[in-house]
Amino acid sequence: PGARVLVWRDEVTRDGVRRPGLFVWDHARGRLARVTRGANVRQGDPSPDGRTAAAVRCAAGTCDLVRVELATGRVTTLRAGTLDSVWTRP
């Protein structure tokens, strides 16, 4: 228990753009495993069972509240952001 931590960091794409993504850091084994690819997901907060995480996905000036399946990286929108309503933390 407690050997893995959900983190986010920017990755540089082939065209030089920085995009945030979620990773699982297994500090006991010294491994970092990517969860999302090109999804613009940041600030993940894992569920108690460790299967999903609430996170924020930002694009085109708005930020959505999303759920990420940690085993597959699948992202589902929970609440869409608008110009008047922006999600900043899960």
Side-chain angles (χ1 to χ4, degrees):
R4 299 181 329 151
V5 179
L6 184 62
V7 298
W8 66 280
R9 71 177 200 180
D10 286 343
E11 290 285 306
V12 179
T13 63
R14 292 180 188 170
D15 58 356
V17 176
R18 291 184 164 278
R19 296 197 185 234
L22 292 183
F23 296 79
V24 173
W25 174 39
D26 184 336
H27 60 85
R29 295 183 178 167
R31 295 182 185 159
L32 185 68
R34 179 190 296 265
V35 174
T36 60
R37 289 192 181 274
N40 282 338
V41 176
R42 65 190 81 203
Q43 298 174 338
D45 185 12
S47 62
D49 66 8
R51 294 180 183 178
T52 63
V56 174
R57 175 181 58 199
C58 297
T62 63
C63 295
D64 304 328
L65 180 63
V66 298
R67 178 179 53 235
V68 179
E69 293 179 26
L70 298 178
T72 65
R74 180 175 179 232
V75 178
T76 305
T77 302
L78 298 174
R79 295 290 302 249
T82 67
L83 294 177
D84 296 324
S85 174
V86 176
W87 296 91
T88 58
R89 298 199 189 273

